[in-house]
Amino acid sequence: MLRVGVLVSGGGTNLQAVLDAIDAGTVENARVEVVISNNAKAYALERARKHGVAAECVCPKDFENRAQFEKELLRRVDAYGLDLIVLAGFLVKIPAAMIEKYRNRIINIHPSLIPSFCGVGYYGLKVHEAALARGVKITGATVHFVDEGMDSGPILLQKAVEVKAGDTPEILQRRVMEEAEWKLLPQAIHMIANPQRAACVQAFGAER
Ligand code: GRF
């Protein structure tokens, strides 16, 4: 059973998609052990509690300096003996010590087709504003492993989403979530939790 921790800062719709997919059995051999937020008001924490999942908050302003915050964040993550850390809208730069310790065991979901509209400053609605400003006709979402850079780690999964005439950033954000993010993140966790079967799908095109 893959022990998963989900790090969040906001509403937690991606977290919800993961919890629902585990309940529905579309994600197998994985369990969310803890949800950790840097923001006590994040609705994602409420979603975790409602689901009977441990919900914890580690808030930077409760610490004297960044180093102490990062140390505590790593301590909390370590406490759950996690196999996989999922960043689902976590707006905190991951401490170098955590990346080092959990190399290839941290994934992030980003609401564009990397390498477009990613890196420093591209988060939330800004990603979709930039896509609309550039006039792209296709956008999407990406799940990638986390390395020391910003949105620069190896890509695991991507899914394209059409941009439509009249889209606002909010409309586009919602479509990218519905058509890509909420499917892609559970799928990535399932792949990591079931590596032999993922390889089988790649080889034969169907799960057996
Ligand atoms: C999502 O768009 C995700 O791609 C990005 O942050 C947003 C989080 O949304 N990294 P939610 O909290 O899962 O609703």
Side-chain angles (χ1 to χ4, degrees):
M1 188 65 71
L2 192 83
R3 295 172 64 86
V4 179
V6 184
L7 273 49
V8 296
S9 298
T13 62
N14 278 283
L15 165 69
Q16 192 69 54
V18 170
L19 293 171
D20 291 348
I22 290 174
D23 284 354
T26 46
V27 172
E28 293 169 282
N29 301 320
R31 187 169 61 210
V32 177
E33 299 291 338
V34 65
V35 173
I36 300 176
S37 175
N38 62 311
N39 165 18
K41 295 201 180 108
Y43 186 64
L45 288 175
E46 193 55 33
R47 292 182 193 271
R49 287 186 203 105
K50 280 188 181 155
H51 224 87
V53 172
E56 300 205 8
C57 181
V58 188
C59 183
K61 66 174 169 29
D62 294 337
F63 297 86
E64 265 177 35
N65 54 48
R66 194 75 186 174
Q68 284 185 13
F69 161 70
E70 293 187 347
K71 200 172 161 198
E72 177 61 12
L73 185 62
L74 186 54
R75 195 187 68 76
R76 300 271 190 112
V77 165
D78 283 346
Y80 285 88
L82 303 176
D83 302 307
L84 180 69
I85 299 171
V86 175
L87 310 182
F90 189 54
L91 298 176
V92 170
K93 188 165 168 39
I94 300 301
M98 190 183 292
I99 295 172
E100 185 62 38
K101 186 161 188 181
Y102 290 87
R103 193 165 297 283
N104 298 325
R105 288 190 289 151
I106 309 177
I107 59 172
N108 179 48
I109 177 113
H110 183 78
S112 76
L113 294 175
I114 290 174
S116 292
F117 315 118
C118 65
V120 178
Y122 287 102
Y123 60 89
L125 275 179
K126 290 180 193 295
V127 177
H128 306 290
E129 284 165 5
L132 291 174
R134 184 61 186 85
V136 294
K137 305 303 174 206
I138 298 285
T139 184
T142 303
V143 176
H144 64 92
F145 288 102
V146 172
D147 66 7
E148 281 76 2
M150 190 66 96
D151 302 326
S152 59
I155 290 171
L156 184 59
L157 291 172
Q158 289 189 305
K159 192 168 192 298
V161 173
E162 196 184 341
V163 179
K164 295 185 179 170
D167 273 354
T168 62
E170 290 80 5
I171 291 171
L172 185 57
Q173 179 183 51
R174 181 77 192 178
R175 189 180 311 118
V176 169
M177 284 180 156
E178 284 177 355
E179 293 184 10
E181 293 185 49
W182 298 343
K183 295 178 181 165
L184 225 46
L185 194 55
Q187 192 186 337
I189 296 170
H190 180 74
M191 278 173 66
I192 292 167
N194 303 276
Q196 305 86 342
R197 287 159 72 181
C200 188
V201 171
Q202 268 190 344
F204 301 109
E207 200 154 312
R208 7 182 111 184

